Amino acid sequence: MEDKNLRFETEVIHSGYVSNEHQGSLVPPLYQTSTFTFSTAEQGEKRFSGQEDGYIYSRLGNPTVKILEERLAVLEKGDAALAFSSGMAAVSATLVALTKTGDHILCSQGVYGCTFGFLQILKEKYGIEHDFSSMDSEEMVEKAILPNTACIYIETPINPTMKLVDLGMIAKIANEKGIPVVVDNTFCSPYLQTPLTYGCDVVIHSATKYICGHGDVLAGIVVGKKEWIQKVSRTTQKDIGGIISPFDAWLLLRGLKTLPVRIDRHCENTDKIFHFLRNHPKIETVHYPGDVDHPDYQIMKKQMKKPGGLISFSIVGTKETAQRFMNELNLIKIAVSLGDAETLIQHPATMTHAVVPEIERSKMGITENLLRLSVGLEAWEDIIEDLDQSLEKL
Ligand SMILES: Cc1ncc(COP(=O)(O)O)c(C=O)c1O
């Protein structure tokens, strides 16, 4: 679409797609094909040499996938995007593209468990070191950056403790030193937070979560500068090959259309649940960036449109108490994903962060009685009633 001033709610439905170019089909067509035919051998030669634009083979590009990529680039306010077969395919392709043996990656205090696992692989097999920092102040970040720091990798809010990192502050320091800042924006989606507008360089999503929104696709997204995205597309993505299937891209285009409506509802429900949990005698602590007493509340106000649909809390008691509480829930499902219509609960210490050694887990604030709730789209009264009846049984 030509008009650059459309609002997010409009872009999420229209950008990247011109129906006249597709027989007037209202919905983007699904190009479920592995390869594309050339009219002549010479045309094939020209496509491969780059003399002529056009599709060659779906690992190198596919029209349905391209619509998704263009739409996400617009939503994240970036130049270009690439879609992957999972969030981890996006994370690994990005880190491989940005680093080489001998480099160092500076990470936020907490990262998703499999990202932690991939950082270990980089360290053990390829000599790429990493450190974690709570990134609480400029001095702390300046001190944590080493001469060989090749990128800064941030999750905010941090999974699952909901601590925030000040994106503008990090980008200012990193930009001065020419170090790219990568942000995993999974928890927010571009509706709540656009890290590139704060000076960060690359945004990653596990599109499996809010971008899909329906729990039926695994996918990843990377957004950044055109030149860099093109390079990743021709190297790391093409040669490692973790590309999205056209059908999954089509499902994501379908899910995306309702993103703002869904997130507004996720946020509304989460706020109600926060007020319920905060006042409950069997709840020890609640971590929610919308809490005015949350240490990073001001950062939330600065860089997030709303506090989001995730909340974590610790139950008074032990790991066994937390597990008993989960087992007594009826409506809320025990599962490790987020951003779906269904409310999901998980136990980070034994599930998403089980691979993280206990000492690192405790530095990240992941205790044995901590639970994470991905608040769904059900009636908030029903979610609270389910939490309440299970707490009563403890
Ligand atoms: C913050 C975050 N980043 C990345 C990932 C990995 O995404 P995927 O499961 O789509 O590979 C997840 C998965 O839960 C996540 O929560």
Side-chain angles (χ1 to χ4, degrees), residues 85-89 91 112 114-115 153 155 157 159 184 186-187 204-209 218-220 336-338 352 372:
S85 55
S86 70
M88 283 318 300
V91 170
Y112 171 62
C114 296
T115 302
Y153 186 94
E155 277 186 29
N159 182 17
D184 181 331
T186 301
F187 272 32
I204 294 178
H205 282 280
S206 165
T208 313
K209 313 295 166 21
L218 274 144
V336 290
S337 196
L338 57 108
T352 48
R372 187 194 72 192

Side-chain angles (χ1 to χ4, degrees), residues 129-245:
E129 299 282 337
H130 60 268
D131 281 310
F132 296 99
S133 163
S134 60
M135 302 185 177
D136 288 329
S137 65
E138 287 190 26
E139 298 70 51
M140 191 182 262
V141 178
E142 294 271 9
K143 231 168 122 184
I145 292 175
L146 305 179
N148 59 338
T149 300
C151 83
I152 299 182
Y153 186 94
I154 298 170
E155 277 186 29
T156 179
I158 293 177
N159 182 17
T161 53
M162 309 310 291
K163 195 185 164 324
L164 306 189
V165 175
D166 185 333
L167 294 175
M169 185 259 279
I170 305 292
K172 183 172 150 276
I173 299 169
N175 291 349
E176 277 166 15
K177 297 182 191 295
I179 301 170
V181 180
V182 180
V183 181
D184 181 331
N185 203 24
T186 301
F187 272 32
C188 285
S189 89
Y191 181 56
L192 295 183
Q193 181 172 273
T194 47
L196 302 181
T197 62
Y198 292 89
C200 300
D201 300 276
V202 179
V203 164
I204 294 178
H205 282 280
S206 165
T208 313
K209 313 295 166 21
Y210 288 106
I211 287 176
C212 169
H214 295 75
D216 45 16
V217 171
L218 274 144
I221 298 289
V222 177
V223 189
K225 296 235 163 58
K226 193 168 179 187
E227 211 174 81
W228 186 78
I229 288 286
Q230 269 175 355
K231 197 173 137 207
V232 174
S233 146
R234 289 183 198 136
T235 54
T236 328
Q237 191 192 41
K238 171 175 82 68
D239 299 336
I240 297 179
I243 50 115
I244 193 170
S245 81

Side-chain angles (χ1 to χ4, degrees), residues 298-313:
Q298 290 311 327
I299 301 177
M300 188 283 289
K301 295 293 275 182
K302 194 166 75 172
Q303 69 193 26
M304 292 170 72
K305 187 180 164 89
K306 293 182 181 186
L310 286 143
I311 190 163
S312 55
F313 54 94

